[in-house]
Amino acid sequence: HGRCSLLKSGRMRRHPRSTKRIPDLIRLFIVTKNYKDLEQTFDFLSQIDGQEDIIMTNVAAGLVVCGKHYLRKGDKPAALNMLSKAAGAAGKKTKILLEALQTLYEAKLFDEASEILKKVPEDVRNSLDFQILWLEGVNLREPAMSVLKACHDLLQRNVLAPRVFEIMLSRSVETG
């Protein structure tokens, strides 16, 4: 693919200002559905030390888009690969991590989401957004009593978000 020639040729190393164009390149890959090029760009950039956060954030967001595309096409292994790479590249960018995990939950890939969640930094995992996302996953796959216990555990830890109460009330109705 000629589009990656700038990256592959090593000219990126000699001209650091070229990296400012990476977000544009990623958007181009997504618009033109060149997901393989995006993956190659990620693989290349991840080998270079000291990448700017904004570049890796853009790449991680692009990888989530790729993962969603592969899920729609039914290519689960490629989707999991992209979403796992996205989570790794996102670092502490909560929005990207949440999007990757939410995509897996929606596809009912709970075990895979749990594996990715284990790789998320603990301080991010303990954030309110992640606690709610975790509860959403439990709510989708567990029986009512397990969900109620999870809600109770969150409330005990002072996670007092409205969504916790919504899930608790809706699942309480099921238990009679």
Side-chain angles (χ1 to χ4, degrees):
H1 288 38
R3 288 180 274 302
C4 283
S5 63
L6 178 65
L7 294 172
K8 292 177 184 174
S9 70
R11 285 182 275 171
M12 292 287 285
R13 289 187 188 108
R14 292 191 306 268
H15 300 291
R17 279 181 262 186
S18 300
T19 59
K20 304 291 187 226
R21 304 286 318 239
I22 297 286
D24 294 332
L25 185 63
I26 291 175
R27 281 188 286 280
L28 180 64
F29 289 153
I30 291 170
V31 168
T32 59
K33 296 184 168 104
N34 287 313
Y35 301 115
K36 290 289 184 198
D37 287 347
L38 178 55
E39 182 179 8
Q40 289 174 353
T41 300
F42 167 76
D43 291 341
F44 175 81
L45 291 172
S46 64
Q47 295 173 15
I48 300 172
D49 291 335
Q51 282 300 326
E52 296 176 32
D53 280 348
I54 189 69
I55 291 172
M56 293 314 284
T57 299
N58 277 277
V59 173
L63 291 171
V64 171
V65 173
C66 288
K68 289 180 178 202
H69 167 77
Y70 287 130
L71 276 176
R72 281 191 300 272
K73 285 182 61 178
D75 190 346
K76 181 180 161 185
L80 292 174
N81 184 35
M82 293 298 105
L83 293 169
S84 181
K85 285 181 177 184
K92 293 187 177 191
K93 303 295 184 197
T94 308
K95 187 174 180 180
I96 294 169
L97 292 166
L98 288 171
E99 191 66 30
L101 290 166
Q102 185 67 40
T103 299
L104 292 170
Y105 284 149
E106 289 171 1
K108 301 198 182 328
L109 299 172
F110 304 117
D111 292 338
E112 293 84 348
S114 292
E115 285 304 309
I116 288 176
L117 191 55
K118 289 176 188 174
K119 299 174 187 173
V120 173
E122 188 174 348
D123 58 324
V124 175
R125 228 180 312 139
N126 290 331
S127 72
L128 177 64
D129 289 337
F130 266 88
Q131 294 299 306
I132 302 302
L133 182 64
W134 171 79
L135 181 61
E136 294 282 2
V138 170
N139 189 38
L140 290 170
R141 70 176 187 263
E142 299 292 335
M145 291 307 292
S146 296
V147 174
L148 292 173
K149 181 183 178 331
C151 289
H152 177 66
D153 291 347
L154 288 176
L155 293 173
Q156 289 291 99
R157 290 185 301 187
N158 249 1
V159 178
L160 304 175
R163 185 65 183 140
V164 175
F165 293 103
E166 290 170 11
I167 291 171
M168 189 170 64
L169 288 171
S170 69
R171 296 306 293 264
S172 293
V173 171
E174 291 177 29
T175 62

